[in-house]
Amino acid sequence: MTPSTPSESTPVPVVRPTLVTPIDRIDREEGAPRYVAQAIKGSESARQQTAEAVYSQALRLAQTVMEKAQTSEEITGREIHQTIDDIIRELTYENSELLNFACSQVVEEGNSTFLSAKLVNKTILAVEIGIGKKMNKSKLFQLGMASFLSDLGISQVLDVINKNQVLTDEDWAKIREIPYKTVEILKRVPDLDQVILTVAQESHERADGSGPLGVKDLQQLDEFSRIVAVIDVFEALTHDRPHRERLLPHEAMKTILEEGSKFESEVLRLLIDRIGVYPVGSWVRLSNKEIAKVVGSNPGQPLRPRAKIIFNEHGETLEEPLLIDLAKNLSLQVLQPVSDEELKKFATKSS
């Protein structure tokens, strides 16, 4: 489902049953601040409705911010704060539908909208990693802001980004200038936390020294920069760009792991743990030949996600989708991912 865009004045609705306990607390037994959420899970439709509203509003905001960056209009951090808070709230309440939007194709490609989606998707994925690192609310907020604003320099090289052909060496040279252009834009934002500028400068660094700054020791980089570096690559690989088609999520995971020495191993571990080998929104064939859509991950068991069975072994749509947790139902396992082309065949067969 493609999120609709709410009006400028419409607040993001929160459709959820009664919440229990504050969402910010200190876990004294573990001796570390934790940002946790406990809630009675609402219906699937309620979670999707809330996630759709949050994603839509974030997408609209990102479009506005990108346009301001392109035209040198003033950007204020205040206009972004509520959106970051909304994303943190939904992810700490384990609303996997928001991850579904971030990991799936939910906007039309071939125009500047995909750049806005890039900002939003990176923010959602980065915050999810931050939750996995047990960051408190303050750090999650900083991480979300840093991720959201880390690539505004793209607005200055749209001629390259929107090319629908293989990029040349000259094009890549312009892309490598994005961090510097981003920093120049962010310097005009009043009262901006220094860490946001730092992430904009550092998040394209790699352990092989191929980044713009040539840094090889990743421990010299800010913790947020090391997170955004991995998330940026994963988001780019799993979404279409004008000059190439996207990879399926498991293919993107494989690609990143093959180049794992370029990134911090702890962040890679959390990417697999929190997002899963089969991220939310992926389609998979189960060992009983049925086709299911992944609706949630199981931290610590990346190969055994939660899924919703949609098609039976003959490719026919079930009257009622069946929710299944592969971490609990050990008689089933993921056999293989389902490609977009194969999925279209099932949809056509069932229509």
Side-chain angles (χ1 to χ4, degrees):
M1 178 183 298
T2 300
S4 57
T5 302
S7 64
E8 190 76 29
S9 59
T10 303
V12 174
V14 180
V15 185
R16 187 179 290 111
T18 305
L19 306 181
V20 292
T21 79
I23 60 176
D24 206 0
R25 71 176 177 87
I26 299 294
D27 190 329
R28 301 186 185 280
E29 293 183 356
E30 294 187 8
R34 297 181 63 195
Y35 184 67
V36 298
Q38 295 181 358
I40 301 173
K41 290 187 177 180
S43 67
E44 181 182 356
S45 60
R47 292 197 304 273
Q48 183 168 351
Q49 181 181 347
T50 302
E52 183 178 346
V54 170
Y55 192 90
S56 296
Q57 187 153 309
L59 193 64
R60 176 178 55 79
L61 173 64
Q63 182 77 24
T64 299
V65 170
M66 189 67 76
E67 290 172 354
K68 287 183 176 182
Q70 186 178 7
T71 58
S72 299
E73 292 183 57
E74 182 181 8
I75 300 171
T76 63
R78 292 189 304 276
E79 61 187 330
I80 306 171
H81 291 177
Q82 184 58 56
T83 291
I84 302 301
D85 279 338
D86 289 341
I87 289 172
I88 292 172
R89 181 195 68 220
E90 291 308 306
L91 291 178
T92 52
Y93 278 110
E94 299 183 358
N95 190 341
S96 60
E97 291 295 334
L98 197 57
L99 282 175
N100 183 13
F101 285 129
C103 294
S104 304
Q105 294 293 93
V106 296
V107 296
E108 292 295 326
E109 302 294 350
N111 55 51
S112 60
T113 306
F114 83 84
L115 296 176
S116 305
K118 176 182 176 69
L119 303 187
V120 178
N121 296 339
K122 284 176 56 177
T123 302
I124 292 170
L125 295 169
V127 169
E128 181 68 15
I129 296 297
I131 292 172
K133 290 178 73 70
K134 297 181 171 58
M135 291 182 180
N136 60 28
K137 182 178 180 180
S138 177
K139 288 194 69 174
L140 286 177
F141 181 81
Q142 286 183 315
L143 174 59
M145 286 288 291
S147 183
F148 191 88
L149 296 171
S150 63
D151 268 331
L152 295 187
I154 289 177
S155 63
Q156 308 301 307
V157 292
L158 292 180
D159 58 324
V160 174
I161 298 299
N162 287 319
K163 287 183 67 172
N164 58 1
Q165 53 189 290
V166 177
L167 301 184
T168 65
D169 290 343
E170 183 180 353
D171 293 332
W172 284 112
K174 290 183 178 180
I175 288 177
R176 283 192 287 271
E177 294 176 0
I178 289 175
Y180 306 108
K181 295 180 181 296
T182 299
V183 170
E184 290 305 311
I185 293 170
L186 293 179
K187 284 180 178 179
R188 303 196 301 266
V189 180
D191 303 320
L192 200 64
D193 196 312
Q194 177 60 40
V195 71
I196 296 175
L197 290 171
T198 299
V199 172
Q201 290 176 312
E202 297 180 345
S203 59
H204 293 273
E205 296 305 301
R206 303 291 183 263
D208 62 357
S210 60
L213 301 178
V215 175
K216 292 186 177 182
D217 183 1
L218 297 182
Q219 296 308 309
Q220 294 180 8
L221 306 178
D222 187 89
E223 177 185 23
F224 293 170
S225 300
R226 301 195 297 269
I227 292 173
V228 174
V230 175
I231 291 304
D232 182 64
V233 174
F234 179 76
E235 196 284 334
L237 290 175
T238 53
H239 292 80
D240 287 341
R241 294 295 183 258
H243 65 282
R244 60 155 176 81
E245 294 183 350
R246 72 181 183 123
L247 297 180
L248 292 176
H250 78 282
E251 295 172 328
M253 286 283 190
K254 180 180 178 181
T255 299
I256 292 174
L257 291 176
E258 287 175 347
E259 299 186 356
S261 60
K262 296 181 180 181
F263 306 101
E264 185 183 79
S265 58
E266 173 66 7
V267 179
L268 291 176
R269 183 190 68 77
L270 285 169
L271 178 69
I272 295 173
D273 190 47
R274 303 297 301 188
I275 310 301
V277 174
Y278 307 105
V280 173
S282 301
W283 288 84
V284 295
R285 187 187 305 277
L286 302 177
S287 52
N288 64 357
K289 309 301 183 182
E290 293 178 321
I291 306 299
K293 183 178 183 180
V294 176
V295 297
S297 63
N298 280 308
Q301 300 189 65
L303 296 175
R304 305 195 71 84
R306 302 191 302 276
K308 183 196 302 182
I309 300 175
I310 305 295
F311 301 103
N312 65 20
E313 66 272 23
H314 304 297
E316 301 164 338
T317 304
L318 299 180
E319 291 186 9
E320 290 290 338
L322 176 63
L323 288 172
I324 186 169
D325 188 340
L326 295 180
K328 297 178 180 178
N329 190 329
L330 301 182
S331 64
L332 287 177
Q333 60 185 353
V334 174
L335 187 63
Q336 60 187 172
V338 175
S339 67
D340 292 342
E341 292 73 19
E342 189 175 5
L343 186 61
K344 289 177 183 177
K345 293 179 182 179
F346 289 125
T348 301
K349 183 176 181 179
S350 299
S351 61

